[in-house]
Amino acid sequence: QVQLVESGGGLVQAGGSLRLSCAPSRSIFSIDIMGWYRQAPGKERELVARIFSGGSTNYADSVKGRFTISRDNAKNTIYLQMNSLKPDDTAVYYCYARRGTINGGFDYWGQGTQVTVSS
């Protein structure tokens, strides 16, 4: 069973930065989309950012200009550089990889990494 392994979460003060990484536990192929969701306590899971195999990206409005997603296609590894962090960014961040389209497909998921931003 392939899993995605996330790293880089932690505790940071408001205004600080963190960089999340996500890599598969073993090789996976034909991945079309990779990205990050997050879920804060008592809130629904939301898409933070995604990157397509061709390099195009989408971001949630709440993180535009502060977060940057990037991808190493050869390794199916993605990164999320998070700058100017706010307490509202506190959540568990989940990495996913999809074979398919934005409307659906086969997904791989990570176990989640906690990001806590103190005020």
Side-chain angles (χ1 to χ4, degrees), residues 70-91:
S70 58
R71 176 174 175 174
D72 181 335
N73 279 335
K75 299 178 181 178
N76 277 325
T77 298
I78 59 170
Y79 309 93
L80 186 68
Q81 178 66 42
M82 305 186 293
N83 298 328
S84 301
L85 282 161
K86 305 175 181 180
D88 283 350
D89 296 316
T90 296

Side-chain angles (χ1 to χ4, degrees), residues 4 6 20 22 33-40 43-52 58-60 62-63 67 69 78 80 82 89-98 101-105 107-115:
L4 301 179
E6 299 122 333
L20 305 183
C22 169
I33 308 169
M34 295 187 75
W36 297 89
Y37 278 81
R38 68 185 180 186
Q39 187 164 23
K43 295 186 177 180
E44 292 189 355
R45 187 179 60 176
E46 64 169 346
L47 178 66
V48 177
R50 62 189 172 196
I51 185 166
F52 297 83
N58 296 144
Y59 294 92
S62 58
V63 307
F67 291 11
I69 189 170
I78 59 170
L80 186 68
M82 305 186 293
D89 296 316
T90 296
V92 178
Y93 284 69
Y94 297 93
C95 171
Y96 82 104
R98 172 171 291 177
T101 71
I102 60 173
N103 296 315
D107 292 341
Y108 299 96
W109 286 95
Q111 78 288 355
T113 186
Q114 177 70 46
V115 171

